Amino acid sequence: QVQLVESGGGSVQAGGSQRLSCVVSGNTLSNYCAAWFRQVPGKEREGVASISAYGTPSYDESVKGRFTISKDNAKNTLYLQMNSLKPEDTAMYYCAADRQYTACNIWRSKPSQYYWGQGTQVTVSS
């Protein structure tokens, strides 16, 4: 059984930084695409960043230059380093691991394509 457990959320002031972690068990990050999504109440979940099995990252335009996705295959852990945080980054953040594919296309994929964590709240105050 695949499980994903996020940590690292919390409250931070605008301009600050936070690092999210996601420990994956029952699956191997070296074999599949992994990603971070976020969701605010009343809106659809949106892709933030992805990293392919081979380590190729991709970012949503809204976070490019501020967020960095990475992974440690030995620890089977996914990370999201968030710098220069803005109030509009406030959301529940979810990590996801693809069920099948090594490459990522998170902005055109369906939720059923992934295993999901339970989410961690990030709140950025102005």
Side-chain angles (χ1 to χ4, degrees):
Q1 184 176 358
V2 178
Q3 289 187 320
L4 293 82
V5 180
E6 300 103 332
S7 62
S11 298
V12 64
Q13 287 194 326
S17 298
Q18 237 170 13
R19 188 195 198 202
L20 305 182
S21 300
C22 174
V23 178
V24 181
S25 60
N27 197 345
T28 305
L29 285 180
S30 60
N31 291 339
Y32 301 99
C33 165
W36 290 95
F37 291 76
R38 65 187 180 187
Q39 188 172 24
V40 297
K43 292 190 176 182
E44 289 189 358
R45 195 170 296 188
E46 63 176 11
V48 175
S50 67
I51 187 164
S52 74
Y54 313 110
T56 304
S58 294
Y59 299 94
D60 184 78
E61 284 296 324
S62 65
V63 306
K64 197 172 290 186
R66 301 188 297 122
F67 290 12
T68 302
I69 189 170
S70 63
K71 61 178 180 172
D72 185 331
N73 288 336
K75 296 181 179 180
N76 228 24
T77 302
L78 181 70
Y79 303 100
L80 185 68
Q81 177 66 44
M82 305 183 293
N83 298 330
S84 302
L85 282 161
K86 304 177 181 179
E88 50 264 42
D89 294 319
T90 295
M92 184 72 78
Y93 283 72
Y94 298 90
C95 68
D98 201 294
R99 294 175 181 265
Q100 183 176 358
Y101 297 108
T102 57
C104 298
N105 193 2
I106 66 171
W107 293 280
R108 293 187 177 184
S109 60
K110 296 181 180 181
S112 59
Q113 185 173 330
Y114 303 96
Y115 298 104
W116 294 95
Q118 81 288 353
T120 185
Q121 177 68 36
V122 173
T123 301
V124 184
S125 58
S126 57

